[in-house]
Amino acid sequence: AQSVTQLDSQVPVFEEAPVELRCNYSSSVSVYLFWYVQYPNQGLQLLLKYLSGSTLVKGINGFEAEFNKSQTSFHLRKPSVHISDTAEYFCAVTKNTGFQKLVFGTGTRLLVSP
Amino acid sequence: DTAVSQTPKYLVTQMGNDKSIKCEQNLGHDTMYWYKQDSKKFLKIMFSYNNKELIINETVPNRFSPKSPDKAHLNLHINSLELGDSAVYFCASSQGDTSGNTIYFGEGSWLTVV
């Protein structure tokens, strides 16, 4: 089975500062990895995903993530955050074969203040 | 145009009641899902349907019965509601049921059982 650990439940940061949200996964088989964002009282929106190829994945809203197989990590980064980036961020994993079954982490709340 | 729409958005009901949540997607996808998000924001898959056929059932109590009348709809009926059923229920869809496909989420249905 797959599992995801998001060590930081909350990350406070000032506007225009860089941010990194950490995600580690566990799996005995090869995986696909995803980052989703949830704005208050809304559904989840895909930021980016890693399926294969380049380990640096660029997503929407200026976010990027790097897949590191040896460290089983998929950390999310943004060089300069905006107030509007305040939201809950979820890392998710699924094995790379068979039916789609995302396993989510517990989320990291990004709080951007002026 | 909302891609994945759920109704109702908010639902407050008493223990023991039966309730339904409806979901419709206009993306032309063939796979639909129900996810449950608990009070700690932990997201877990409940069901997955492909072309109206059940393909994933994650050991959900049989008080929960999904129904897919066609590819664009996946409804969730819950019998004999319990306090622990209070959660946000997300409907989602994807094109194809295989691992790696992007899943599009609805805005959620907030269920409170009192």
Side-chain angles (χ1 to χ4, degrees):
Chain A
Q2 290 68 49
S3 67
V4 174
T5 302
Q6 292 181 250
L7 289 170
D8 305 306
S9 59
Q10 189 165 290
V11 173
V13 65
F14 289 110
E15 196 174 17
E16 297 183 8
V19 70
E20 177 179 85
L21 304 184
R22 295 182 293 168
C23 172
N24 288 88
Y25 69 92
S26 172
S27 177
S28 57
V29 298
S30 294
V31 296
Y32 295 145
L33 292 152
F34 303 76
W35 275 100
Y36 277 85
V37 60
Q38 185 179 25
Y39 297 104
N41 296 327
Q42 291 188 28
L44 285 81
Q45 180 183 6
L46 180 70
L47 277 177
L48 48 81
K49 64 181 179 181
Y50 172 77
L51 302 183
S52 64
S54 172
T55 57
L56 182 63
V57 181
K58 293 193 183 297
I60 62 171
N61 301 341
F63 284 94
E64 64 180 33
E66 184 149 24
F67 171 57
N68 187 319
K69 190 174 180 180
S70 61
Q71 297 188 6
T72 60
S73 68
F74 191 54
H75 300 331
L76 182 70
R77 301 186 187 101
K78 186 168 182 177
S80 175
V81 295
H82 302 293
I83 298 282
S84 59
D85 292 323
T86 294
E88 195 86 24
Y89 291 79
F90 291 93
C91 182
V93 65
T94 183
K95 57 182 183 178
N96 70 350
T97 56
F99 293 129
Q100 177 80 283
K101 188 175 133 179
L102 287 180
V103 174
F104 284 88
T106 49
T108 296
R109 178 150 182 78
L110 177 62
L111 282 167
V112 182
S113 50
Chain B
D1 260 0
T2 304
V4 182
S5 58
Q6 306 176 219
T7 54
K9 182 155 185 170
Y10 300 101
L11 182 56
V12 180
T13 188
Q14 290 188 326
M15 275 174 40
N17 283 351
D18 303 338
K19 290 294 176 187
S20 291
I21 305 172
K22 296 187 176 182
C23 178
E24 176 181 7
Q25 54 94 4
N26 63 7
L27 296 167
H29 290 165
D30 60 5
T31 304
M32 296 186 73
Y33 312 80
W34 278 108
Y35 277 80
K36 178 181 179 180
Q37 186 176 45
D38 64 21
S39 57
K40 296 183 180 177
K41 301 227 169 184
F42 182 61
L43 266 160
K44 193 173 187 318
I45 190 169
M46 300 173 69
F47 301 103
S48 172
Y49 271 74
N50 175 259
N51 283 313
K52 305 191 297 176
E53 298 296 322
L54 179 68
I55 56 172
I56 292 176
N57 181 342
E58 280 294 293
T59 59
V60 177
N62 57 17
R63 297 183 297 103
F64 290 79
S65 52
K67 283 191 172 49
S68 182
D70 55 56
K71 288 195 303 183
H73 296 83
L74 180 62
N75 304 322
L76 183 65
H77 187 75
I78 316 171
N79 289 326
S80 304
L81 278 156
E82 301 177 356
L83 292 176
D85 297 332
S86 295
V88 184
Y89 292 85
F90 286 99
C91 179
S93 72
S94 66
Q95 181 52 39
D97 57 7
T98 52
S99 190
N101 294 323
T102 297
I103 295 181
Y104 296 81
F105 285 83
E107 295 198 341
S109 293
W110 271 252
L111 172 64
T112 303
V113 182
V114 297

